[in-house]
Amino acid sequence: MSEKPNFAHWATLAQKELRDTPLSSLDRDYGGIPVRPVYFGDAPEIPGVEPFTRGVRATMYANRPWTIRQYAGFSTARESNAFYRQALEKGQKGLSVAFDLATHRGYDSDHPRVVGDVGKAGVAIDSVEDMKILFDAIPLDQMSVSMTMNGAVIPVLAMFIVAAEEQGVPQAKLDGTIQNDILKEFMVRNTYIYPPEPSMRIVGDIIAHTARHMPKFNSISISGYHMHEAGATAVQELAYTLADGMDYVRAAQAKGLDIDAFAGRLSFFFGIGMNFFLEVSKLRAARQLWSEIMTGLGAKDPRSKMLRTHCQTSGVSLTEQDPHNNIVRTTIEALAATLGGTQSLHTNSFDEAIALPTEFSSRIARNTQLILQHESRITDVVDPLGGSYYVEALTAQLVEGARALIGEAEAQGGMTKAVQAGGPKLAIETAAAQRQARVDRGEDVIVGVNRYRLDSEAGIEVREIDNAKVRDEQIARLNEIRRNRDEARCQSMLAAIREYAAKDEGNLLEAAIEAARARATLGEISAAMEDVFGRHAAVTRVISGVYAGGYAGDPEYAAIAGRIAEFKVARGRSPSIFIAKMGQDGHDRGAKVIASAFADLGFDVHLGSLFETAHEVAAHVDELQVDAVGVSSLAAGHKTLVPELIGALRDRDLGDVIVVVGGVIPEPDYEFLYDKGVAEIFGPGTNVLSAAFSVLSQIEGRLSNR
């Protein structure tokens, strides 16, 4: 097409979108250089028109910029509320709530399995009263609220609805998104509660309820972000995310819903990493593919075919070493997300590889977006990279690669079946191990980590959460709620949830709303469904050969493997290690990578199950008689859980077993852990070969001192 007819077509669409705003108001002038709000070449794609490759709206940011939606939540509802209100005053446009891991996994704060998790990595929510405090003085009829919740999605959404009602806001006026994306939990994030099939029923019930009663609310945010963070390639993230979306659409259709009645309220969530042009192209490819997929599933309304997405800059790309470099990394990733056409964005704080962000680092993260919106001038033009030979080629290649993987999932009967078979999870774990080997060998350069390192690191301020204090406050509020509620009514509502679940009839969200009104707690509502559905337990496994393949011919790798072989000859066995994940943190990328690499080197590796307690880990160590325990910690529970483990080992006369810790550990906590008996600490960015060398030396030293 020539430029003139394309522009005329676009102008018609844009004028409808703008209504009373003159189209000429979008024209810009750069010191005598006229700038149009959109440019066209020979490609047929037009912004705001199927397949939406160039954007879901005709005018995109030229008319209205993306929403700044920072993901936040920590400690108590009261502290998080104060943080939210301050952020809104300083330019944030929407809320995105982070819940603590106890809440994600459906446990009340007084449950014995969550001692180290309450108020860490998110806000603790046990009841409607907590939810009311969380949104105190925040008008829910005016504010868009996103909630990252999957496992305990039924009680959390029910409590949000009831809290809004008691604020005077009916369901029909609520605007926002609930993540409600359970399939990716079974692949990567692991904050599931129930097995896949009943979990999919829950997804369908939420889509059905919101379609009927909450027309402004997005019933699901289909997430590739957590796949990205677990190590998925761009093609894997694209394919598995969209294939998940296909199964969610089918689940809603199975409830009798017409696809055009709900599809316009589906949204997506992608991670944005450091491969700048690839990430831009990934978002363009996602829109093109989703339009194609939804057409195939029977959608007629163009709004049903629009892939609208939130994005978050990568957490995995953040480094503990030379952490101010992370400000630059986040800026590059934020620019990729916006040039790719995201609808909203969270920018990570530079200190998140070390601890929860401080107010100072959060301000820089938020201002990164404000600077892009107001100073960079990228909002002047729709899809400014459209037509780039490189971007168009990458977009086409991503579309082709993702189509092939989606076809593989469809051949297995859809993504739910593929997830149950374990193929996507294994593929992502393999990609993560390959990536780690490239980083450790220096093939993928990370400035300040494997090249251009500082001789010494200056300390930075970190946020500290008093886990015990938060838990005590939550337990006191729980006890008060249980004392003051109508117990007979509460138990009757919980019984109704069990009945709905058992008979596979009725809407579980609607039953949970009644239970929440009766002041049933999050843990009680979750347990009522667990009584019928059961609690899912994943099978853990160690990948072999991937890490070794990346180190073929490497002398350092060969030297460590040789030392382990000599150990085996001398002692008649290999050095052994138990890799533990304690608490409710399901992010297991680091644990899986270490387990795979150590096994390839020749260690006898035992990979524990997710969500174990310190006493359960100690029992495994006792039974297996391993030389060392490696604790993987990402959710700030290390100061509670690691000393508890060391105490449990000593109670079993296993005090000489070496304990090492890896993950997100703030530097000020190192001395605390060493004083408690930890032998080594490996922060983010640690070279795996260096860690293996250190652990082997610790084991050899321990055995020689016997």
Side-chain angles (χ1 to χ4, degrees):
M1 295 183 186
S2 65
E3 183 173 335
K4 188 172 182 180
N6 266 5
F7 187 81
H9 188 182
W10 176 86
T12 301
L13 293 165
Q15 201 65 62
K16 289 180 181 177
E17 188 176 284
L18 290 166
R19 292 191 178 94
D20 299 327
T21 304
L23 190 59
S24 60
S25 69
L26 297 181
D27 291 338
R28 299 289 186 267
D29 183 273
Y30 294 171
I33 301 174
V35 176
R36 282 180 166 178
V38 71
Y39 287 84
F40 302 105
D42 295 329
E45 287 89 355
I46 298 174
V49 177
E50 295 177 48
F52 306 108
T53 308
R54 300 197 64 189
V56 293
R57 291 171 43 236
T59 56
M60 288 298 289
Y61 310 145
N63 180 30
R64 183 174 70 248
W66 66 90
T67 299
I68 299 172
R69 190 185 302 277
Q70 292 295 89
Y71 180 57
F74 57 90
S75 187
T76 63
R78 199 173 306 282
E79 286 191 63
S80 291
N81 172 264
F83 186 87
Y84 293 159
R85 288 162 66 177
Q86 183 182 62
L88 292 171
E89 289 171 3
K90 294 184 178 179
Q92 188 168 313
K93 300 300 183 183
L95 294 179
S96 183
V97 181
F99 298 96
D100 74 357
L101 291 164
T103 304
H104 273 289
R105 294 271 292 149
Y107 294 117
D108 286 333
S109 296
D110 58 357
H111 197 284
R113 299 196 75 87
V114 300
V115 171
D117 297 300
V118 177
K120 295 282 192 179
V123 60
I125 297 292
D126 293 318
S127 68
V128 170
E129 298 306 319
D130 287 336
M131 196 70 81
K132 288 169 68 176
I133 294 169
L134 186 65
F135 294 109
D136 181 46
I138 296 173
L140 293 176
D141 56 345
Q142 301 172 34
M143 182 60 55
S144 173
V145 176
S146 173
M147 293 181 286
T148 300
M149 178 52 61
N150 303 280
V153 64
I154 287 282
V156 164
L157 185 53
M159 289 172 181
F160 175 69
I161 288 168
V162 174
E165 286 176 352
E166 296 185 8
Q167 193 188 85
V169 181
Q171 293 183 50
K173 290 189 176 181
L174 292 174
D175 185 5
T177 303
I178 189 80
Q179 192 162 96
N180 192 28
D181 174 11
I182 199 62
L183 287 177
K184 66 94 174 47
E185 299 295 327
F186 296 110
M187 280 188 277
V188 290
R189 191 165 178 251
N190 300 312
T191 53
Y192 44 70
I193 300 175
Y194 316 109
E197 289 190 4
S199 295
M200 287 298 289
R201 176 190 168 184
I202 287 170
V203 171
D205 280 2
I206 289 171
I207 293 174
H209 178 89
T210 53
R212 295 182 184 120
H213 303 289
M214 304 170 73
K216 298 170 64 179
F217 200 82
N218 297 324
S219 55
I220 190 166
S221 174
I222 306 156
S223 175
Y225 178 83
H226 303 94
M227 300 180 205
H228 179 279
E229 295 298 273
T233 65
V235 170
Q236 288 170 340
E237 182 186 357
L238 258 182
Y240 296 149
T241 303
L242 299 182
D244 282 352
M246 294 170 72
D247 266 18
Y248 295 138
V249 169
R250 293 181 184 125
Q253 289 175 312
K255 295 282 182 183
L257 294 174
D258 178 76
I259 190 168
D260 288 320
F262 67 85
R265 303 311 303 175
L266 303 180
S267 66
F268 286 80
F269 175 26
F270 286 101
I272 303 296
M274 285 295 292
N275 192 329
F276 180 81
F277 290 103
L278 186 68
E279 297 297 346
V280 171
S281 302
K282 182 176 73 182
L283 297 186
R284 302 174 90 252
R287 289 191 292 271
Q288 183 176 326
L289 281 164
W290 188 242
S291 176
E292 174 186 302
I293 286 166
M294 292 300 283
T295 300
L297 289 172
K300 300 290 191 298
D301 189 335
R303 290 172 297 182
S304 299
K305 304 176 188 182
M306 294 179 182
L307 183 145
R308 296 166 301 108
T309 190
H310 173 70
C311 288
Q312 181 172 338
T313 60
S314 176
V316 168
S317 68
L318 303 179
T319 66
E320 178 188 40
Q321 299 87 346
D322 205 358
H324 290 97
N325 289 343
N326 295 333
I327 298 172
V328 181
R329 294 186 178 103
T330 294
T331 303
I332 292 169
E333 292 167 350
L335 186 60
T338 53
L339 293 181
T342 190
Q343 277 60 67
S344 62
L345 179 63
H346 166 94
T347 34
N348 286 328
S349 299
F350 73 84
D351 52 357
E352 288 186 61
I354 302 166
L356 291 170
T358 62
E359 290 186 15
F360 171 72
S361 64
S362 296
R363 178 172 61 84
I364 292 174
R366 182 174 59 249
N367 285 352
T368 299
Q369 295 196 52
L370 291 170
I371 290 166
L372 286 177
Q373 286 189 355
H374 295 287
E375 298 185 38
S376 72
R377 307 301 296 265
I378 62 171
T379 62
D380 289 353
V381 178
V382 178
D383 190 28
L385 291 182
S388 156
Y389 293 124
Y390 182 35
V391 168
E392 299 296 346
L394 283 175
T395 301
Q397 289 166 0
L398 287 167
V399 167
E400 181 181 358
R403 272 201 198 114
L405 281 188
I406 291 169
E408 291 177 10
E410 288 293 282
Q412 294 182 66
M415 200 60 179
T416 304
K417 293 284 195 300
V419 166
Q420 288 173 314
K425 184 178 182 68
L426 180 61
I428 292 171
E429 289 173 358
T430 300
Q434 291 169 337
R435 160 70 170 165
Q436 186 63 48
R438 292 197 304 273
V439 170
D440 287 348
R441 292 193 67 175
E443 294 171 3
D444 288 1
V445 175
I446 302 179
V447 174
V449 175
N450 60 6
R451 201 178 296 182
Y452 312 113
R453 292 197 62 159
L454 294 174
D455 294 331
S456 61
E457 297 272 353
I460 63 170
E461 178 191 353
V462 298
R463 183 186 293 275
E464 179 75 20
I465 301 295
D466 187 339
N467 167 238
K469 179 184 176 185
V470 174
R471 190 164 185 260
D472 287 345
E473 289 182 20
Q474 291 299 120
I475 290 173
R477 190 174 295 114
L478 275 167
N479 290 338
E480 182 180 1
I481 288 165
R482 289 169 181 150
R483 278 195 309 269
N484 295 330
R485 70 190 181 187
D486 182 335
E487 191 63 28
R489 180 182 171 223
C490 178
Q491 293 304 322
S492 175
M493 296 301 101
L494 292 171
I497 293 174
R498 293 187 191 94
E499 183 178 354
Y500 278 27
K503 292 183 177 179
D504 195 17
E505 62 183 35
N507 188 293
L508 288 167
L509 177 57
E510 290 171 7
I513 291 169
E514 294 302 320
R517 288 185 180 125
R519 290 317 190 255
T521 69
L522 175 134
E524 290 167 339
I525 294 172
S526 297
M529 290 184 286
E530 185 180 343
D531 289 344
V532 179
F533 297 149
R535 185 171 278 264
H536 180 71
V539 176
T540 58
R541 55 187 171 185
V542 178
I543 301 169
S544 62
V546 174
Y547 199 84
Y551 266 89
D554 183 84
E556 185 181 0
Y557 183 94
I560 297 174
R563 275 187 61 192
I564 293 172
E566 291 170 3
F567 182 106
K568 185 173 183 179
V569 169
R571 299 187 178 273
R573 64 174 180 84
S574 299
S576 57
I577 185 168
F578 185 90
I579 307 293
K581 282 290 296 183
M582 295 185 293
Q584 300 304 306
D585 173 32
H587 292 88
D588 60 353
R589 174 180 178 168
K592 291 283 184 69
V593 166
I594 290 293
S596 298
F598 275 43
D600 281 357
L601 283 163
F603 279 86
D604 184 9
V605 175
H606 303 272
L607 182 59
S609 300
L610 289 168
F611 315 123
E612 293 196 308
T613 66
H615 291 280
E616 288 167 342
V617 171
H620 294 313
V621 172
D622 198 358
E623 178 187 359
L624 296 167
Q625 292 294 297
V626 295
D627 298 305
V629 181
V631 177
S632 175
S633 176
L634 295 176
H638 51 273
K639 291 179 74 173
T640 301
L641 296 172
V642 173
E644 188 178 352
L645 171 62
I646 291 171
L649 291 172
R650 288 172 179 162
D651 290 343
R652 291 174 174 269
D653 294 325
L654 297 170
D656 62 342
V657 172
I658 293 159
V659 176
V660 299
V661 181
V664 179
I665 313 292
E667 182 74 33
D669 292 353
Y670 279 30
E671 185 175 353
F672 171 87
L673 292 175
Y674 287 139
D675 288 344
K676 294 296 182 182
V678 170
E680 295 280 1
I681 299 171
F682 306 114
T686 299
N687 182 286
V688 173
L689 293 187
S690 298
F693 180 88
S694 179
V695 171
L696 180 61
S697 298
Q698 288 282 349
I699 291 172
E700 289 173 333
R702 167 208 169 211
L703 294 175
S704 66
N705 290 330
R706 278 186 166 180

